[in-house]
Amino acid sequence: MKSSWVEIDLGALEFNIRQVRQALRAETAIMFVVKDRAYGHGIPSVVKKAASAGVDWFGVAYVHEALEVRQAAPHADILVLGAVEPGDVSCLKENRITPLVLDEAHGRALADAATALGCRLPVHLKIDTGMGRLGVLWEQAPAVFAQLDGLSGLEISGICTHFASVEVRKPSLGCTQMDRFLQAESEIRKMAERKLFRHVSSSRAILYQNEWDLDAVRPGILLYGYGAGEPRMRFKTKPLLQWKTVVMQVKRLPAGFPVGYYSTYVTPAPTVVATIAAGYADGYHRALSNKGVVLIRGRRCPVIGRVSMNWISVDLGPDGDAAAGDEAVLIGEQGESAVWADELARMARTIPYELLTSINPSAERHYINTRIS
Ligand SMILES: *Cc1c(COP(=O)(O)O)cnc(C)c1O
């Protein structure tokens, strides 16, 4: 019997890119973030489609991901949002991949490697404005820029930061971070006497703050169809990914019958139970035990008992009429019913990012192309 599979609608991706594109000024580029196999959607197909739909930058976490993007989009610009090493420089140069510089020592090491190869490496300087993760603290950024800008091996072509949170209300940490970025930027601009490529906004900031779009925006989750659930947003996008599997067995259980490991669920009345082929090893979070919802024959059926490694049980109700071999939807829609990753994430007390990236990479991915206007 087959295990779970994923269906990805690249037509919905094209629609989403159009929504974001129409909200931006013409001179703002889209840098589509495709870390972790394009958030579980698969880099090659997603990047090819996005490049043909007008995305000209891609953001990744690792050099090996950048190489996968390069295969799929020979002409795109690519930024590595993580840390590269001096040993990566020849590969970066050869494949036109731009890295971030995280601090002065990192910049010098990359510059030395580039000089030894007789080349000049374009880089973006990462500024930490309050995320406490990667980059140079905003107060030190102008001095670090001054130190690195003269090095023959480096060409600082861009500067960027990343928001820890963006709230609709003001003041907020996001607003403070933006003030810090602009303060560092104005000092750097005076020294640089050239135009630097500036980008700060990931999905949440893009949704609320068009004055923060600058030269590029870095949407991830938004282009995969999530994160736009609140008011005051500039547009809405659609999920691309559905995750499906099959019903393995259907049977009637009497009242008082325990279901699953440690009997965390006991049937309150006679009912029909389906066992379906997905579990935590496939990426269906164990936190969804007694909480998740699965679509079978167009109805939302609750997950009962503990999620086990490869199987879960769902309650079809006393008149349940499914049969072995029926399709069961773990994320997606069926008939009039739907269960998307944001709803499931709330049930599992996590975020759609985590659910999407936890779907086992070995699940087959099927790509379709629905025209959405
Ligand atoms: C992951 C990431 C993004 C994309 O974030 P979303 O919330 O998915 O839009 C943007 N920028 C950086 C630096 C990231 O690490």
Side-chain angles (χ1 to χ4, degrees), residues 33 35 39 81 126 133 161-162 201-204 218-222 353:
V33 179
K35 301 178 292 207
Y39 289 32
L81 301 163
K126 176 70 180 267
R133 206 171 63 178
T161 192
H162 189 53
S201 291
S202 54
S203 293
R204 238 183 115 74
R218 301 191 307 263
I221 201 74
L222 195 51
Y353 305 70

Short mmCIF file of all heavy atoms in Angstrom, two decimals, residues 33 35 39 81 126 133 161-162 201-204 218-222 353, ligand 1:
data_model
loop_
_atom_site.label_atom_id
_atom_site.label_comp_id
_atom_site.label_asym_id
_atom_site.label_seq_id
_atom_site.Cartn_x
_atom_site.Cartn_y
_atom_site.Cartn_z
N VAL A 33 12.53 33.39 -0.71
CA VAL A 33 13.33 32.58 0.19
C VAL A 33 12.94 31.10 0.03
O VAL A 33 11.77 30.74 0.23
CB VAL A 33 13.18 33.07 1.64
CG1 VAL A 33 13.99 32.19 2.58
CG2 VAL A 33 13.65 34.52 1.76
N LYS A 35 14.76 28.36 1.42
CA LYS A 35 15.51 27.52 2.36
C LYS A 35 14.81 26.18 2.54
O LYS A 35 13.61 26.08 2.29
CB LYS A 35 15.54 28.19 3.76
CG LYS A 35 16.15 29.55 3.82
CD LYS A 35 16.08 30.13 5.24
CE LYS A 35 14.68 30.47 5.70
NZ LYS A 35 14.66 31.56 6.71
N TYR A 39 10.86 25.35 1.65
CA TYR A 39 9.90 25.10 2.74
C TYR A 39 9.17 23.77 2.50
O TYR A 39 7.96 23.65 2.72
CB TYR A 39 8.88 26.24 2.83
CG TYR A 39 9.40 27.57 3.35
CD1 TYR A 39 10.69 28.00 3.11
CD2 TYR A 39 8.56 28.42 4.08
CE1 TYR A 39 11.16 29.23 3.58
CE2 TYR A 39 9.02 29.65 4.56
CZ TYR A 39 10.31 30.05 4.30
OH TYR A 39 10.76 31.26 4.77
N LEU A 81 21.78 33.30 2.94
CA LEU A 81 21.40 34.03 4.15
C LEU A 81 22.10 33.49 5.39
O LEU A 81 21.97 34.05 6.48
CB LEU A 81 19.88 33.96 4.34
CG LEU A 81 19.03 34.53 3.20
CD1 LEU A 81 17.59 34.05 3.30
CD2 LEU A 81 19.08 36.05 3.21
N LYS A 126 25.43 42.04 6.60
CA LYS A 126 24.26 41.75 7.43
C LYS A 126 24.34 42.56 8.72
O LYS A 126 25.34 42.49 9.44
CB LYS A 126 24.23 40.25 7.75
CG LYS A 126 23.11 39.81 8.69
CD LYS A 126 21.74 39.89 8.03
CE LYS A 126 20.61 39.47 8.94
NZ LYS A 126 20.26 38.07 8.83
N ARG A 133 20.74 37.56 16.25
CA ARG A 133 21.14 36.34 15.56
C ARG A 133 22.36 36.68 14.71
O ARG A 133 23.38 37.06 15.27
CB ARG A 133 19.95 35.81 14.74
CG ARG A 133 19.96 34.34 14.48
CD ARG A 133 18.65 33.83 13.87
NE ARG A 133 18.35 34.40 12.55
CZ ARG A 133 17.29 34.07 11.83
NH1 ARG A 133 16.43 33.17 12.27
NH2 ARG A 133 17.07 34.61 10.65
N THR A 161 18.96 43.67 6.96
CA THR A 161 18.72 43.25 8.34
C THR A 161 17.51 42.33 8.34
O THR A 161 16.92 42.07 7.28
CB THR A 161 18.52 44.47 9.28
OG1 THR A 161 18.56 44.01 10.64
CG2 THR A 161 17.19 45.16 9.04
N HIS A 162 17.16 41.80 9.51
CA HIS A 162 16.04 40.87 9.60
C HIS A 162 15.24 41.22 10.85
O HIS A 162 15.82 41.44 11.92
CB HIS A 162 16.58 39.44 9.68
CG HIS A 162 15.53 38.38 9.56
ND1 HIS A 162 14.63 38.34 8.51
CD2 HIS A 162 15.22 37.32 10.35
CE1 HIS A 162 13.82 37.29 8.67
NE2 HIS A 162 14.16 36.67 9.77
N SER A 201 12.67 43.30 4.61
CA SER A 201 11.36 42.74 4.98
C SER A 201 11.15 41.29 4.59
O SER A 201 11.24 40.94 3.41
CB SER A 201 10.25 43.58 4.33
OG SER A 201 10.19 44.85 4.93
N SER A 202 10.82 40.44 5.57
CA SER A 202 10.30 39.11 5.26
C SER A 202 8.77 39.23 5.28
O SER A 202 8.21 40.32 5.38
CB SER A 202 10.83 38.08 6.25
OG SER A 202 10.55 38.49 7.57
N SER A 203 8.07 38.09 5.18
CA SER A 203 6.63 38.12 4.89
C SER A 203 5.82 39.08 5.75
O SER A 203 5.03 39.86 5.26
CB SER A 203 6.04 36.72 5.02
OG SER A 203 6.57 35.90 4.00
N ARG A 204 5.99 39.01 7.06
CA ARG A 204 5.13 39.81 7.93
C ARG A 204 5.30 41.30 7.69
O ARG A 204 4.33 42.05 7.64
CB ARG A 204 5.41 39.48 9.40
CG ARG A 204 4.17 39.01 10.10
CD ARG A 204 4.44 38.76 11.55
NE ARG A 204 3.68 39.69 12.36
CZ ARG A 204 2.37 39.62 12.57
NH1 ARG A 204 1.65 38.69 12.00
NH2 ARG A 204 1.76 40.50 13.33
N ARG A 218 11.98 40.06 0.99
CA ARG A 218 12.40 38.65 1.09
C ARG A 218 11.25 37.77 1.58
O ARG A 218 11.30 37.23 2.68
CB ARG A 218 13.57 38.52 2.06
CG ARG A 218 14.83 39.30 1.71
CD ARG A 218 15.99 38.86 2.59
NE ARG A 218 15.65 38.91 4.00
CZ ARG A 218 15.96 39.92 4.82
NH1 ARG A 218 16.64 40.96 4.37
NH2 ARG A 218 15.60 39.89 6.09
N PRO A 219 10.21 37.59 0.77
CA PRO A 219 9.10 36.74 1.23
C PRO A 219 9.46 35.26 1.17
O PRO A 219 10.12 34.81 0.23
CB PRO A 219 7.98 37.05 0.23
CG PRO A 219 8.69 37.42 -1.02
CD PRO A 219 9.95 38.13 -0.58
N GLY A 220 9.04 34.53 2.20
CA GLY A 220 9.09 33.07 2.17
C GLY A 220 7.66 32.59 2.30
O GLY A 220 6.94 32.45 1.30
N ILE A 221 7.20 32.44 3.52
CA ILE A 221 5.92 31.80 3.82
C ILE A 221 4.74 32.38 3.03
O ILE A 221 3.82 31.67 2.63
CB ILE A 221 5.64 31.85 5.36
CG1 ILE A 221 4.63 30.79 5.78
CG2 ILE A 221 5.22 33.24 5.80
CD1 ILE A 221 5.15 29.40 5.81
N LEU A 222 4.79 33.69 2.78
CA LEU A 222 3.72 34.36 2.05
C LEU A 222 3.54 33.78 0.65
O LEU A 222 2.42 33.58 0.17
CB LEU A 222 4.13 35.84 1.95
CG LEU A 222 3.13 36.89 1.58
CD1 LEU A 222 1.88 36.78 2.42
CD2 LEU A 222 3.79 38.25 1.80
N TYR A 353 5.33 26.98 9.13
CA TYR A 353 6.70 26.71 8.65
C TYR A 353 7.16 25.33 9.12
O TYR A 353 7.76 24.56 8.37
CB TYR A 353 7.71 27.70 9.22
CG TYR A 353 7.48 29.18 9.03
CD1 TYR A 353 6.45 29.85 9.67
CD2 TYR A 353 8.34 29.92 8.23
CE1 TYR A 353 6.28 31.22 9.52
CE2 TYR A 353 8.17 31.30 8.08
CZ TYR A 353 7.13 31.94 8.73
OH TYR A 353 6.98 33.29 8.59
C1 LIG B 1 13.59 32.68 6.41
C2 LIG B 1 13.96 34.08 6.15
C3 LIG B 1 13.12 34.94 5.43
C4 LIG B 1 11.72 34.55 5.00
O1 LIG B 1 10.85 34.60 6.11
P1 LIG B 1 9.27 34.43 5.93
O2 LIG B 1 8.73 34.70 7.29
O3 LIG B 1 9.05 33.03 5.50
O4 LIG B 1 8.84 35.40 4.91
C5 LIG B 1 13.58 36.21 5.12
N1 LIG B 1 14.81 36.62 5.52
C6 LIG B 1 15.63 35.82 6.24
C7 LIG B 1 16.95 36.35 6.67
C8 LIG B 1 15.23 34.54 6.58
O5 LIG B 1 16.05 33.77 7.30
#
